């Protein structure tokens, strides 16, 4: 491990972050190609573990960068990969918030926001639908989702407790 | 709807420490991806602390979705900017990313030891099922503020249909819906309210 590896981690993850339109999920295949096939930073098994880890850890799938960075270059590697993955998207998002702030009262942007906001609602439903397709492997898991829906809709139970409940049921049924 | 009442019900914005602490908490509990995390932030920042509105959550999602990068992190960055400018945004983003980073480092460190635990897939299955329920609730809550008329409801349904059915890129759909909104949902020029979410 040396500083060139860190630079390489930063640089390559930065390139990936720039083409991750619509979220880090869309960059998954690119990360796989980069980290497994092009650089051999991690093995295919490690890559799968990193993906699994990103599901059971909080945060987005892009957190795989931390796992891969750590396997390649320890703590400095983690920092380098994280900076690569999240620095430019942060600049873009905060910059967008800054640029839009004075414009939020403009009729044009409000029209755009109304249409885009409505589409976002549909897309939230798409994510739920896609997850349901992969997760509903048994009737019990469908019941978990329905109970989670009713509890989160009707009560003010903390979302984390609902997730924990799901995990416990998942463990119980295997 | 109460979500649209003017900012009178809002407490003044958060202090630096509160921004950091709030997003550190969200980062510690942000399991289950974008939908579940948005549900968490809605609960923490809209329902409980009342420093943001439901409308601002949708706005953050709508404007960061088409941008490159992890959307959930960018929603945090965007909301952080709303709460405390560049500094608030940087702080919120770092605070949000720290707990998952620690978690991933621990997993990477002990990778050899835990990689073959069979319980892992059971945990993920139960987690994802619960996430589906949470996400439907968030969809409903966001929908209540963002799809109040026939046009916006139609946009939401069409967006769902084309992404599921035709596999069209989600970011592209948001941009097209925005442009369509620009043509059909633009408020009249004499309008002074910021409250409407539909027609």
């Amino acid at each position: 491990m040396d500083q060139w590896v860190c630079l390489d981690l930063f640089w390559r993850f930065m390139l990936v972050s720039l083409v991750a339109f619509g979220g880090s999920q869309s960059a998954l295949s690119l990360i796989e190609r980069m980290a497994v096939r092009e650089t051999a930073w991690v093995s295919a098994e490690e890559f799968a573990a990193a993906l699994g880890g990103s599901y059971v850890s909080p945060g987005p799938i892009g957190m795989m960068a931390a796992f891969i960075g750590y396997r390649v270059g320890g703590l400095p590697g983690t920092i380098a990969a994280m900076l690569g993955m999240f620095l430019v998207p942060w600049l873009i998002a905060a910059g967008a918030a800054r640029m839009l702030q004075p414009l939020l009262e403009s009729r044009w942007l409000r029209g755009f926001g109304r249409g885009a906001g409505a589409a976002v609602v549909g897309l939230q439903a798409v994510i739920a639908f896609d997850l349901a397709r992969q997760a509903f492997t048994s009737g019990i898991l469908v019941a978990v989702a329905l109970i989670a829906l009713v509890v989160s809709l009707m009560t003010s139970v903390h979302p984390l407790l609902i997730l924990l409940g799901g995990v416990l049921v998942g463990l119980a049924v295997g | 709807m109460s979500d649209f009442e003017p900012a009178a019900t809002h407490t003044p914005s958060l202090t630096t420490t509160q921004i950091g602490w709030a997003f550190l908490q969200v980062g510690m509990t942000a399991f289950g991806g974008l939908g579940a995390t948005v549900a968490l932030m809605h609960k923490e920042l809209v329902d409980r602390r009342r420093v943001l509105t439901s409308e601002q959550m949708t706005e953050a999602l709508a404007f960061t979705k088409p941008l490159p990068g992890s959307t959930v992190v960018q929603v945090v960055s965007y909301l952080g900017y709303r709460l405390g400018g560049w500094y608030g945004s940087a702080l919120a983003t770092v605070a949000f990313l720290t707990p998952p980073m620690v978690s991933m480092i621990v997993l990477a460190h002990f990778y050899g030891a835990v990689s073959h635990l069979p319980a892992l897939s059971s945990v993920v299955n139960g987690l994802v099922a619960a996430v589906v329920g949470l996400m439907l609730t968030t969809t409903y809550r966001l929908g209540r503020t963002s799809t109040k008329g026939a046009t916006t409801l139609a946009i939401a349904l069409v967006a769902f249909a084309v992404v599921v059915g035709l596999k069209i890129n989600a970011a592209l759909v948001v941009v097209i819906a925005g442009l369509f909104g620009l043509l059909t949902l633009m408020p009249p020029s004499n309008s002074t309210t910021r409250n409407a979410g539909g027609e």
Side-chain angles (χ1 to χ4, degrees):
Chain A
M1 206 279 293
D2 53 40
Q3 67 269 44
W4 294 114
V5 173
C6 286
L7 209 60
D8 203 24
L9 278 165
F10 172 77
W11 174 245
R12 284 176 189 265
F13 272 108
M14 194 190 74
L15 291 181
V16 163
S17 80
L18 287 179
V19 293
F21 285 97
S24 46
Q25 195 114 36
S26 60
L28 199 54
S29 60
L30 260 177
I31 299 177
E32 195 265 343
R33 206 173 68 192
M34 167 187 84
V36 180
R37 284 185 267 170
E38 283 176 11
T39 62
W41 278 337
V42 291
S43 66
E45 289 75 29
E46 280 177 304
F47 181 83
L51 183 60
S54 78
Y55 278 121
V56 294
S57 292
I61 288 190
M63 293 308 304
M64 292 179 78
F67 189 105
I68 294 170
Y70 188 86
R71 299 297 294 177
V72 178
L75 220 46
T78 309
I79 305 289
M82 289 284 290
L83 279 174
M85 193 70 194
F86 296 109
L87 184 64
V88 176
W90 166 69
L91 274 171
I92 295 173
R98 178 184 174 75
M99 283 195 303
L100 294 174
Q101 193 138 30
L103 299 175
L104 282 176
E105 299 297 320
S106 105
R107 304 165 55 221
W108 295 84
L109 201 66
R110 282 167 59 194
F112 185 92
R114 287 177 183 181
V120 163
V121 173
L123 294 177
Q124 286 282 112
V126 172
I127 307 177
F129 181 76
D130 282 344
L131 286 177
R133 267 199 303 210
Q134 62 161 286
F136 287 178
T137 51
S138 74
I140 296 169
L141 293 175
V142 179
V144 167
L146 286 176
I147 293 168
L149 170 65
V150 172
V151 171
S152 59
L153 207 53
M154 303 293 185
T155 72
S156 59
V157 171
H158 198 279
L160 195 62
L161 284 179
I162 298 174
L163 294 180
L164 188 65
V167 166
L168 292 178
V169 174
L171 272 176
V173 300
Chain B
M1 206 161 294
S2 60
D3 289 337
F4 284 148
E5 292 309 314
T9 53
H10 289 187
T11 55
S13 59
L14 299 177
T15 64
T16 309
T17 322
Q18 284 172 320
I19 293 175
W21 176 235
F23 282 98
L24 192 70
Q25 274 181 307
V26 173
M28 281 190 279
T29 51
F31 293 94
L34 177 65
T37 308
V38 168
L40 264 170
M41 287 194 274
H42 197 286
K43 180 144 202 80
E44 183 67 26
L45 300 166
V46 180
D47 300 336
R48 206 167 78 76
R49 295 182 191 252
R50 293 177 170 277
V51 287
L52 294 169
T53 61
S54 208
E55 198 189 22
Q56 284 174 311
M57 293 292 299
T58 328
E59 175 194 307
L61 277 164
F63 290 131
T64 56
K65 190 79 190 171
L67 303 175
S70 164
T71 304
V72 65
V73 182
Q74 287 178 305
V75 167
V76 168
S77 308
Y78 189 99
L79 296 175
Y81 189 90
R82 283 276 171 276
L83 291 167
W86 281 104
Y87 186 64
S89 179
L91 183 67
T93 309
V94 171
F96 175 80
L97 285 175
T98 300
M101 189 176 85
V102 171
S103 167
M104 290 302 274
I105 288 173
V106 170
L107 286 171
H109 192 79
F110 295 104
Y111 161 64
V114 298
S115 59
H116 300 300
L117 283 183
L120 194 67
S121 71
S122 309
V123 168
V124 172
N125 283 343
L127 179 72
V128 173
V131 166
V132 171
L134 278 183
M135 289 223 43
L136 291 174
T137 298
T138 319
T139 307
Y140 170 75
R141 296 231 164 100
L142 292 179
R144 224 173 34 178
T145 55
S146 300
T147 58
K148 294 203 301 187
T151 312
T152 45
L153 192 61
I155 291 175
L157 292 173
V158 170
F160 177 84
V162 295
V163 175
V164 168
L166 307 175
K167 308 267 175 243
I168 294 178
N169 181 282
L172 190 65
V173 170
V174 172
V175 172
I176 292 171
L179 294 175
F180 182 73
L182 204 105
L183 295 173
T184 60
L185 298 168
M186 201 161 69
S189 53
N190 59 354
S191 164
T192 52
T193 62
R194 261 211 70 198
N195 292 341
E199 295 92 338

